[in-house]
Amino acid sequence: MVGVLEGFATIAVVVAVGWLLAHLRILDESAQVALSRLAFHVASPALLLTVMQRTPLQAVVSANLATALLSFAVVVALYLLVARLRWAGGTLGSRLIGGLSAAYVNAGNLGIPIALYVLGDVAWVAPTLLAQLLIITPVAMALFDSDARGERPTLGRGLRRMLSNPITVGAIAGLLIAVLDLHLPTVVSAPIALLGAMAVPSMLIAFGISLRRGPRPAAGRSADHVWTVVALKVLVMPAVALGVGLALGLRGQALFAVVVTAALPTAQNIFTYAVRYRREVTLARDAIFISTFASVPVILAIAGLFHWLAGV
């Protein structure tokens, strides 16, 4: 369990650095936007390329992948239903941010250490990484781009947007390298890895700046919206993953892995997308902040329950 706390503590420290830099007026809102753009256009694509080319494909094409996709779809559908009933109106981009905040998990900088220390193998988080990077993210980016341009989403436009979006390009390039078993020369791979290493710190520092310079989390009229998203993320999604996993025949460690992964908090890159497309920035920020803290006891409880059942 120490690994779980260490993973969360690492993120908290870097976010606190961003908060302190904003408090001391070393960085401001313009730096937040610049860091988010850097992460979106350069660092994240490089990181995704690096991660995907190292992802063991034989370990991800399984019922775990189907469970990750179905759990995501169910939770997003629930969010859209609740949003339609409680918060009428809103753009496509706004609804996308809300849905992603409720169902897109932090499978990278939190999922990997938790998979290692809690599940015993990083490969357990690979199905969710694959689902998010190669299926969910490209579709979301195409929809965001259509919304930003005021276009009606179509298949042709969606495919063009996918192939021109830096996030999608990085993930697809990494997958092709893995499938073709290519080995990039050091003069190419080393700069890509160095650029990719900036992604998580850039996102976390930008997030910390937002916490200091923006409104207090879950304050005012948006509080019920934020808490609804957080409840869907840390409570409903693990329950959905448990039901879907059981229905698909998962048992034991495989089932434990999908439930723990589903309980991970909202990913920091949703904040980057919100800033990039100027949609629901505060909602994304607050959902990430609160779900990160709320997921700790949930993950610990899930781990304790599964270990107790294994010993019964």
Side-chain angles (χ1 to χ4, degrees):
M1 300 304 173
V2 174
V4 178
L5 300 177
E6 286 179 345
F8 282 99
T10 299
I11 287 179
V13 169
V14 181
V15 170
V17 169
W19 187 96
L20 182 61
L21 290 172
H23 181 72
L24 297 175
R25 300 186 182 278
I26 296 173
L27 298 178
D28 56 13
E29 290 89 343
S30 62
Q32 170 196 322
V33 174
L35 286 168
S36 296
R37 287 177 177 172
L38 175 66
F40 184 87
H41 290 284
V42 180
S44 291
L47 176 63
L48 296 183
L49 188 152
T50 303
V51 169
M52 290 310 304
Q53 70 175 335
R54 296 175 181 172
T55 301
L57 298 181
Q58 69 277 10
V60 299
V61 183
S62 62
N64 295 55
L65 177 64
T67 302
L69 285 172
L70 288 172
S71 300
F72 175 88
V74 169
V75 174
V76 169
L78 288 173
Y79 168 78
L80 293 176
L81 176 61
V82 173
R84 182 174 183 180
L85 295 174
R86 293 179 60 87
W87 308 289
T91 65
L92 171 62
S94 298
R95 292 290 181 250
L96 276 171
I97 290 296
L100 291 173
S101 296
Y104 197 107
V105 307
N106 191 336
N109 50 317
L110 259 182
I112 289 175
I114 286 177
L116 179 62
Y117 291 111
V118 178
L119 304 175
D121 191 344
V122 173
W124 286 115
V125 80
T128 299
L129 275 173
L130 182 68
Q132 292 189 161
L133 298 182
L134 294 183
I135 301 174
I136 296 169
T137 296
V139 173
M141 292 300 100
L143 293 174
F144 275 129
D145 286 334
S146 294
D147 178 63
R149 289 173 170 79
E151 300 173 345
R152 183 177 180 180
T154 64
L155 180 59
R157 287 172 180 165
L159 290 174
R160 287 196 299 272
R161 299 285 180 256
M162 288 182 190
L163 296 177
S164 63
N165 189 282
I167 298 286
T168 306
V169 170
I172 292 176
L175 179 65
L176 289 175
I177 291 172
V179 170
L180 298 175
D181 195 24
L182 299 178
H183 298 280
L184 299 178
T186 302
V187 70
V188 175
S189 62
I192 292 175
L194 190 61
L195 289 170
M198 294 193 301
V200 174
S202 297
M203 288 187 282
L204 294 179
I205 290 175
F207 184 70
I209 294 171
S210 176
L211 287 176
R212 176 61 184 87
R213 307 297 293 182
R216 182 169 56 87
R221 297 171 60 185
S222 65
D224 62 334
H225 198 169
V226 173
W227 286 109
T228 298
V229 168
V230 171
L232 286 169
K233 176 77 266 320
V234 301
L235 297 176
V236 176
M237 193 167 183
V240 171
L242 176 63
V244 172
L246 287 170
L248 294 180
L250 295 178
R251 299 292 185 274
Q253 188 72 358
L255 182 63
F256 178 40
V258 298
V259 176
V260 167
T261 302
L264 289 168
T266 306
Q268 271 84 18
N269 48 326
I270 304 306
F271 176 74
T272 301
Y273 303 158
V275 173
R276 167 65 180 82
Y277 293 102
R278 300 180 182 179
R279 294 289 188 270
E280 299 292 349
V281 175
T282 302
L283 174 63
R285 185 205 67 172
D286 293 355
I288 293 165
F289 180 75
I290 297 173
S291 68
T292 298
F293 287 99
S295 64
V296 177
V298 173
I299 291 175
L300 292 175
I302 291 170
L305 177 62
F306 270 85
H307 285 134
W308 178 73
L309 291 175
V312 173

